[in-house]
Amino acid sequence: MHYHAGGRGDDSPALVGVVVPKKQIPLATHRNRVKRRVRALMAQRVGALEPGARIVVRGLAGADGADSGTLGKDLDRLLNRCRERRAQERQRRAD
């Protein structure tokens, strides 16, 4: 996951992109299924993102066999990690 937080005063909505490389999941039907599931899960979470955030979710081979509950937990964990790193960066800059 790549996460770019919105800048100050940026009121544009958060944007999410999903990519699933062919090398990770060779069958197109499986790649598309992973993309649809991740898009649906991120649609539920996009309202909680800060305005102007830009996120790219990269689907890996393990996502092909995972159920939606597992994918949702992984997305939540990654989003929290990205937010924590962003907060740490802001704290360093403020010091």
Side-chain angles (χ1 to χ4, degrees), residues 1-64:
M1 177 178 292
H2 296 280
Y3 181 89
H4 177 74
R8 292 183 184 167
D10 189 354
D11 292 335
S12 61
L15 297 177
V16 178
V18 180
V19 294
V20 182
K22 191 174 187 176
K23 285 187 176 183
Q24 293 291 326
I25 302 177
L27 296 175
T29 54
H30 292 217
R31 280 195 310 275
N32 291 335
R33 182 182 324 137
V34 169
K35 286 185 214 177
R36 281 193 309 270
R37 291 166 78 191
V38 171
R39 268 193 230 115
L41 291 166
M42 287 304 294
Q44 297 170 357
R45 290 157 175 79
V46 76
L49 300 173
E50 59 188 61
R54 305 294 186 257
I55 299 173
V56 177
V57 180
R58 184 173 186 252
L60 299 178
D64 188 17

Side-chain angles (χ1 to χ4, degrees), residues 1 41-42 44-45 66-81:
M1 177 178 292
L41 291 166
M42 287 304 294
Q44 297 170 357
R45 290 157 175 79
D67 62 1
S68 293
T70 303
L71 288 175
K73 288 178 187 176
D74 287 344
L75 287 171
D76 290 337
R77 181 180 50 83
L78 291 170
L79 285 170
N80 287 334
R81 184 188 310 173

